[in-house]
Amino acid sequence: MEDELRCPTCKQLYANPVLLPCFHALCLGCALDIQTPYTPGGPAGTANGGVAPGGVSAVNGQQGTGVGGGPGGAAGGGAPGTRHSSHSSAASTASSATGSESVTSDQDQSDKVSIFSEADSGVVCCSNTSRPVSYAGTGQLQGLLQGSVVAPPGAAYCLTCPLCRKLVFFDDGGVRNLPTYRAMEAIVDRFCAREALRCQMCETDPKVASLICEQCEIRYCDQCRELCHPARGPLAKHTLVKPRGAAQARESVCGEHEETLSQYCLNCKMPACGQCIGEQRHQTHDVQSINVTCKAQKTELSHNLQQLSEKARSTTEFIQRLKGMSDKVTESCIEFERLVHAQCEALIQAIHDRREYLLEAIRMDKDTKIRILKDQQSNCTGKLQQTTGLIQFCIEALKETDSAAFLQVGSMLINRVANTDMTWHQEVTNAAPRVSPIVDLTLDDAALARAIDNLNFIQMKAPMTPTILPTDCSAENNSVTVAWQPPNHSFVEGYVLELDDGSGGEFREVYCGKETICTVDGLHFNSMYNARVKAFNSAGEGEYSELIGLQTAEVAWFTFDPVLSGGAGSGLIFSKNNATVSVEGWEHRVALGSVGFSRGVHYWEFTIDNYTADTDPAFGVARIDVARNKMLGKDEKSFAMYIDRQRSWFQHNSIHERRVEGGITTGSTIGVLLDLERHTLSFLVNEMPQGSVAFRDLYGVFYPAVSINRGVTLTMHTALDAPKMDYF
């Protein structure tokens, strides 16, 4: 709050604060310091004719003149930056005197004290009297648009608000005509009193004093009192009292009549005394007690403060949540750094393992080539030795002098040498190394290098939590519609919607897909279903959303369902929005309702609109796979009561029993009561029970059903309260 109590010019706590027409405040001394004389004929806001366009006044501290003649009344003659505490009290004392001198009884003279701003093209600002404000016209806007502002007649001083930069013009009274900001003055006094009433014995960070000794004249907090002023010995006779604040209650007084301001003019929006109200200027105005007006505005302010406090509290909670998120961000980043480091180390280890594998492959290739070369070298060496031996043997044979002996082996040696020469050419001369001495392999690392270059982060974490939209969710009859908003900053591939069983039991999945709205039909009536939804992607599933409860209808509203009744080929004729049914043929046809029941108590009625033939319409319930071309009750899938003009029977699986007297005519009403809490089925004719309970032990899902043939027209009525039956 302390920032609100500091003057925007001197940055100190307000001293004798005055209220500008723009509702910003200044110290009176600061206002006197920054006001400048207005030179007629020059641009508005000039001191001796010089100011920048746009209405921002320039302060010339050397040429300012005093206002009011009292000490501290310098309008700019003081040294810049000097604190104005010396003239604060004098300024407030001289304010009323100067103001009364500058305002005459002539109404036109009051227009000399006026302001002009960019927002309101000239509004008269009164002195500290109760004179009302009035508009001076809008003709000065042209001067503003052209870069200069034309001041109202009689302007002698001008001032620019240091906060909103709006110009204010004054007559000869200057800023002393501004009203004292009494509320700010009182708040500053209370603030200073609180700050002054600190413990005088605390060495650091003085606490608020709780007691003051009248004899010692020293203030103590509770802790220092026990240490420095114990209630024993000579100090036991000292009197300790609670300190009194320095702020004194003030009573606002009219500056013109010196009377208490007791009334408030609603037209002028300013307080006034009794004499002011009696003057001509307030005679036609709406006047109210100043206490009543103050109470009303305090009430309105309290209400607005309450709303603002709620926002501030929510903002504080949001800030705390942000701080908590900052800690979570730090923890998450540290954990993620550890994970990335581990993943990179795993990749490096994989590269090391692959390197060892590749180097081992090179070594194995080297050993294989060397072994092949050694085998080839050994083969060539054996061939060479064999050939060398043959050559040496032939040379020795040529030395034989005995011709018969030489001829004995000559032909054989010639053939061996010829054959050896031929094979030598094939096996040795044209032979090449079986392997290359150069490694004919290359390491294909381009793809891996590209993969390493492209190694980066992808947003593939499990998605955040979706938000259910309560305004878009609804429950109608025995179906519910759930809508949700996708999570922010998450990649979502789909959603899973789950419902419980309507009794607070386990949840089950009812939808999985990409849509953000889903309607679930076929639920139990009069049940509270809790729904939740979660998002998922290839990285995993997110958290469940908050639960939303949806209440299905207490009683069922439904009609005949043409599709469930067999479609267009059934021969049934539906009308009145599928509430009425008839048929042309003589064969019985079954018509089913549009909803099925498995829990709860349900009641509906049929009105006989037309009954001309001697037929037996049947009423009851059936399962979804009932035979549509038989009388209701002829198969094991249906439970019915068929009735004529005189009597009725209960029928199931072609077994009819318990005849009950009493039939139907045109206009009669047939009621069907399905109680799945007791698992019974009962009938009423013209609002009277038709016998006792017709069927018991009914479990499963049952649809309302009738079977009719030619000559019968029925209308079904639903959403009815179940009648109270006196038998079970």
Side-chain angles (χ1 to χ4, degrees), residues 441-452:
L441 299 175
T442 183
L443 182 61
D444 184 14
D445 61 347
L448 180 59
R450 287 194 300 270
I452 293 176

Side-chain angles (χ1 to χ4, degrees), residues 184-446:
M184 179 65 74
E185 194 173 24
I187 294 174
V188 170
D189 286 347
R190 290 196 297 270
F191 178 78
C192 293
R194 287 197 301 268
E195 292 300 315
L197 299 179
R198 297 285 182 177
C199 177
Q200 295 175 276
M201 304 303 294
C202 290
E203 296 181 357
T204 58
D205 191 16
K207 300 178 182 179
V208 177
S210 59
L211 293 171
I212 183 172
C213 179
E214 292 183 345
Q215 287 74 24
C216 303
E217 295 184 353
I218 297 178
R219 296 185 298 273
Y220 301 95
C221 64
D222 292 336
Q223 184 176 1
C224 292
R225 183 186 64 80
E226 294 292 337
L227 296 175
C228 305
H229 200 290
R232 59 181 180 272
L235 299 178
K237 298 180 180 180
H238 288 198
T239 303
L240 298 175
V241 296
K242 292 186 177 181
R244 289 172 293 180
Q248 301 297 326
R250 292 181 174 87
E251 188 175 39
S252 299
V253 178
C254 176
E256 186 175 359
H257 302 105
E258 299 297 331
E259 287 189 11
T260 302
L261 297 173
S262 59
Q263 303 296 323
Y264 188 82
C265 180
L266 299 178
N267 297 75
C268 302
K269 296 188 182 303
M270 60 187 307
C273 66
Q275 294 187 38
C276 292
I277 297 301
E279 294 179 358
Q280 183 177 0
R281 61 175 177 267
H282 290 295
Q283 287 183 355
T284 59
H285 292 180
D286 295 329
V287 179
Q288 194 176 46
S289 171
I290 194 170
N291 293 330
V292 174
T293 305
C294 180
K295 183 178 180 180
Q297 292 195 7
K298 284 185 177 180
T299 302
E300 182 179 0
L301 179 60
S302 299
H303 177 70
N304 294 339
L305 283 177
Q306 184 177 4
Q307 295 180 344
L308 187 60
S309 298
E310 291 294 333
K311 295 180 180 179
R313 182 164 54 252
S314 62
T315 303
T316 302
E317 295 174 355
F318 179 68
I319 292 173
Q320 295 299 326
R321 191 161 67 249
L322 290 180
K323 291 181 180 179
M325 290 181 63
S326 299
D327 297 337
K328 290 183 180 179
V329 167
T330 302
E331 296 175 1
S332 177
C333 288
I334 292 175
E335 176 63 22
F336 192 53
E337 286 179 4
R338 185 194 64 77
L339 179 61
V340 170
H341 179 76
Q343 289 178 321
C344 291
E345 289 296 328
L347 292 176
I348 293 173
Q349 184 61 40
I351 292 177
H352 285 320
D353 295 343
R354 193 64 180 176
R355 181 188 63 183
E356 294 300 323
Y357 171 79
L358 295 175
L359 293 178
E360 181 63 23
I362 294 173
R363 288 191 288 266
M364 292 177 63
D365 184 66
K366 179 194 69 173
D367 295 340
T368 301
K369 287 185 176 182
I370 291 175
R371 185 173 63 254
I372 293 174
L373 290 175
K374 286 183 178 180
D375 291 342
Q376 189 176 12
Q377 179 184 355
S378 177
N379 292 336
C380 291
T381 300
K383 185 66 174 178
L384 179 60
Q385 291 176 351
Q386 183 180 4
T387 303
T388 301
L390 178 60
I391 291 173
Q392 291 176 352
F393 181 79
C394 290
I395 291 173
E396 293 298 326
L398 289 174
K399 294 178 181 181
E400 181 62 45
T401 58
D402 186 355
S403 298
F406 177 78
L407 291 175
Q408 186 180 11
V409 295
S411 298
M412 181 270 296
L413 292 176
I414 292 172
N415 290 333
R416 284 188 62 188
V417 170
N419 290 334
T420 301
D421 180 62
M422 184 181 299
T423 57
W424 184 271
H425 177 74
Q426 294 176 353
E427 296 179 3
V428 179
T429 303
N430 294 334
R434 297 178 183 176
V435 294
S436 172
I438 300 175
V439 178
D440 53 358
L441 299 175
T442 183
L443 182 61
D444 184 14
D445 61 347

Side-chain angles (χ1 to χ4, degrees), residues 99-112 127 129 131-132 256-257 279-281:
S100 60
E101 292 175 2
S102 63
V103 180
T104 65
S105 60
D106 189 356
Q107 182 67 31
D108 295 334
Q109 292 296 324
S110 66
D111 289 341
K112 294 181 180 180
S127 66
T129 67
R131 187 176 303 279
E256 186 175 359
H257 302 105
E279 294 179 358
Q280 183 177 0
R281 61 175 177 267

Side-chain angles (χ1 to χ4, degrees), residues 605-665:
E605 292 180 347
F606 298 95
T607 300
I608 310 299
D609 299 329
N610 181 37
Y611 185 60
T612 58
D614 189 14
T615 60
D616 301 323
F619 307 87
V621 296
R623 302 190 187 276
I624 191 67
D625 54 348
V626 65
R628 268 72 167 178
N629 57 354
K630 296 180 179 180
M631 175 188 283
L632 199 66
K634 287 288 187 179
D635 62 358
E636 61 180 5
K637 306 294 184 180
S638 57
F639 302 81
M641 175 191 75
Y642 68 92
I643 188 170
D644 57 17
R645 295 181 183 274
Q646 298 178 351
R647 61 191 67 84
S648 66
W649 290 265
F650 301 138
Q651 180 173 245
H652 168 64
N653 199 17
S654 296
I655 300 174
H656 58 96
E657 57 185 0
R658 285 188 289 169
R659 187 179 73 175
V660 180
E661 297 298 326
I664 58 172
T665 60

Side-chain angles (χ1 to χ4, degrees), residues 584-601:
E584 290 296 333
W586 290 103
E587 297 295 329
H588 277 268
R589 292 292 182 264
V590 174
L592 295 179
S594 57
V595 298
F597 304 109
S598 60
R599 190 168 62 186
V601 180

